[in-house]
Amino acid sequence: AATFRQGPSSEAQRGWLATGRAEGDRKIDMVFGLALQNTDKLEENLYAVSTPGNPRYLQHMTQQEIRELTAPSAEAVVAVDSWIQSANLTGAVTSDAELL
């Protein structure tokens, strides 16, 4: 799978090889993974809920709380959506990843 990092298009395309245009009816599936936020806070919580004597011991976060804590920034989501629109991609579907 190709890796895409937000940045100048020359950086984003580094390592890609142009082999010609895809056939007009060719469907190409692409998946973009956005960086999670607050992974340091998630790790701190993991240790807190796993450490006997810690006031948060065994007070695990829900899946929803984890999603809200670690969701990509709104700016990152807008940047990817804008890129998809500027590339005139059709049939684009966005969704929250179900990682848990």
Side-chain angles (χ1 to χ4, degrees):
T3 299
F4 176 87
R5 294 190 183 273
Q6 183 177 347
S9 59
S10 61
E11 178 184 330
Q13 295 170 353
R14 188 173 298 137
W16 291 15
L17 177 63
T19 60
R21 294 186 63 85
E23 297 173 19
D25 61 347
R26 178 84 186 250
K27 178 182 174 186
I28 301 173
D29 294 322
M30 300 176 79
V31 177
F32 297 93
L34 302 180
L36 300 178
Q37 297 188 105
N38 301 316
T39 55
D40 56 333
K41 292 178 183 176
L42 182 63
E43 183 177 8
E44 289 172 14
N45 185 67
L46 172 67
Y47 285 115
V49 301
S50 303
T51 304
N54 188 298
R56 301 244 10 241
Y57 183 59
L58 298 180
Q59 296 179 16
H60 300 283
M61 296 175 75
T62 66
Q63 288 182 344
Q64 184 62 32
E65 290 171 328
I66 293 170
R67 282 189 199 106
E68 290 171 3
L69 177 66
T70 60
S73 70
E75 293 82 11
V77 173
V78 167
V80 171
D81 285 343
S82 295
W83 181 83
I84 289 170
Q85 290 176 12
S86 71
N88 294 320
L89 300 178
T90 59
V93 176
T94 59
S95 68
D96 294 332
E98 294 291 330
L99 299 176
L100 302 173

